[in-house]
Amino acid sequence: MAQIDRVLRSNLKLRHLQMLVALDQFRHVGRAAEFLSVTQPAVSKTLAEIERLFGLPLFERSTRGTEPTAAGASVVRFARSVLAGYERTRDEIAAEASGARGRVSVGAMVAATPGLLAQAVERLKARSPHVTVLIEEGDLTRLLPQLRLGELDLFVGRLEPGYASPDLETEALYDDPMVAVVRPGHALARKRQPRWSDIAAQPCVLPPPWASLRVKLEQQFFAHGLHPPADIVESASFLSQITFVQQRGAVAFMARAVARHCAEQGMVAVLKLPVPVELPPVGIIRMRGREETAVTQALVECLREARGR
């Protein structure tokens, strides 16, 4: 234990950490070497040096590439966390030197980006124009690990209850129900009271089969004595939704705030059809107990001010 503590505190250098993360990312010595602009023997030599320090194998080599061992996975997590802190400190110092006021990294779901997050960033920029806001889009599966490693300062999106954890601090801001949308000029957009039977007869863009929302939407068709649409495209991509709504005349289901934004841009028309599916509220997730920068705190305050607007 003392040896591992000494290695983590004193012996590991920045280049060691960068190489470990590259090996984990590419799972191939050659591609990691290319990414780091060094030779393959240099990567192998550095890895051997690190493993000698720990006295443990960190990666298993085979003809298929490299895979982290259990110890290697732990060290890689440590490396990512340290590098994230290094990059944050570097950016803050560089921002201060250039006259900027800091940087904040946000993980965001599409449901929160056009309305809540865009308005919050606008408020933040009105106060501090030189603040840099980095936005990573994705779902909780991809973004929570980045939040835990310190690569993101906070998450904005739906607060899925299945991801609740003692190390996370959540704050619900508002409810954002689902609505159905079509392209402007679509026949359903002109109906005063569209029905689920109208939707079932149309081509539709639906979430993938594994998504909980897909099950909830199909239950709505069954509740009205209908089979779900037969002509479907399955995608969780916002861009795919818009593409098939406009090009195929398909019906899609979006968060109300996103649909309103798209309608204002002339991309969709929102149908006057209640979509009574239960969805988690939109809100903020942060790491409990983590010290936050002034910029992160300012953005959180702007998110609170922008809620529901």
Side-chain angles (χ1 to χ4, degrees):
M1 182 67 70
Q3 176 188 351
I4 294 174
D5 185 66
R6 185 171 60 256
V7 173
L8 292 175
R9 287 177 178 272
S10 307
N11 294 45
L12 284 181
K13 299 178 175 61
L14 190 62
R15 63 182 178 85
H16 293 152
L17 303 179
Q18 291 169 332
M19 193 216 66
L20 289 170
V21 170
L23 265 180
D24 181 60
Q25 180 176 345
F26 296 104
R27 304 294 173 97
H28 189 276
V29 171
R31 287 195 286 273
E34 182 180 355
F35 175 77
L36 296 169
S37 299
V38 299
T39 65
Q40 292 188 41
V43 171
S44 298
K45 180 180 178 181
T46 302
L47 178 58
E49 177 185 337
I50 299 170
E51 290 180 325
R52 189 163 55 251
L53 289 172
F54 279 99
L56 293 167
L58 301 182
F59 282 84
E60 295 177 349
R61 294 79 155 177
S62 71
T63 55
R64 294 175 297 177
T66 59
E67 290 284 336
T69 62
S74 297
V75 176
V76 167
R77 283 195 296 271
F78 169 79
R80 288 185 183 275
S81 179
V82 171
L83 288 175
Y86 161 79
E87 291 172 0
R88 185 185 299 109
T89 302
R90 178 199 63 196
D91 291 342
E92 288 173 358
I93 294 173
E96 186 67 28
S98 66
R101 300 293 181 86
R103 179 186 181 92
V104 58
S105 300
V106 186
M109 294 176 69
V110 171
T113 304
L116 175 67
L117 184 55
Q119 292 172 23
V121 170
E122 188 66 27
R123 287 170 177 265
L124 182 65
K125 287 285 190 177
R127 301 173 188 177
S128 304
H130 299 293
V131 164
T132 299
V133 182
L134 171 65
I135 299 172
E136 283 276 350
E137 279 199 351
D139 57 18
L140 278 166
T141 304
R142 187 171 77 84
L143 296 176
L144 273 188
Q146 293 179 260
L147 179 66
R148 286 189 164 106
L149 288 170
E151 295 173 352
L152 296 173
D153 297 306
L154 58 100
F155 166 86
V156 182
R158 291 203 183 275
L159 305 181
E160 299 284 353
Y163 290 88
S165 176
D167 64 332
L168 301 177
E169 182 178 326
T170 62
E171 180 179 348
L173 295 180
Y174 62 91
D175 292 316
D176 195 13
M178 194 66 55
V179 296
V181 302
V182 293
R183 68 187 178 198
H186 193 286
L188 289 184
R190 296 191 294 270
K191 293 197 71 168
R192 296 180 62 183
Q193 285 292 329
R195 303 186 179 194
W196 284 91
S197 57
D198 298 321
I199 307 294
Q202 299 290 325
C204 288
V205 186
L206 296 177
W210 47 261
S212 61
L213 178 58
R214 171 67 173 274
V215 176
K216 293 175 181 178
L217 288 172
E218 290 184 341
Q219 287 173 342
Q220 289 301 311
F221 289 101
F222 293 133
H224 289 83
L226 303 165
H227 289 290
D231 182 355
I232 63 171
V233 172
E234 298 175 331
S235 178
S237 163
F238 171 71
L239 180 58
S240 294
Q241 284 186 311
I242 292 295
T243 298
F244 291 110
V245 163
Q246 293 184 341
Q247 294 186 7
R248 291 205 73 235
V251 180
F253 296 88
M254 297 180 177
R256 183 173 61 188
V258 177
R260 283 177 175 172
H261 171 78
C262 292
E264 289 171 359
Q265 304 301 314
M267 293 187 288
V268 304
V270 180
L271 298 184
K272 298 175 181 177
L273 173 77
V275 183
V277 299
E278 292 185 9
L279 293 172
V282 173
I284 305 167
I285 300 179
R286 294 180 282 173
M287 291 301 298
R288 191 179 301 279
R290 176 183 290 170
E291 186 174 350
E292 294 179 334
T293 65
V295 178
T296 300
Q297 294 171 2
L299 179 58
V300 169
E301 185 58 37
C302 290
L303 287 164
R304 291 169 179 157
E305 292 173 4
R307 74 179 81 190
R309 292 182 182 274

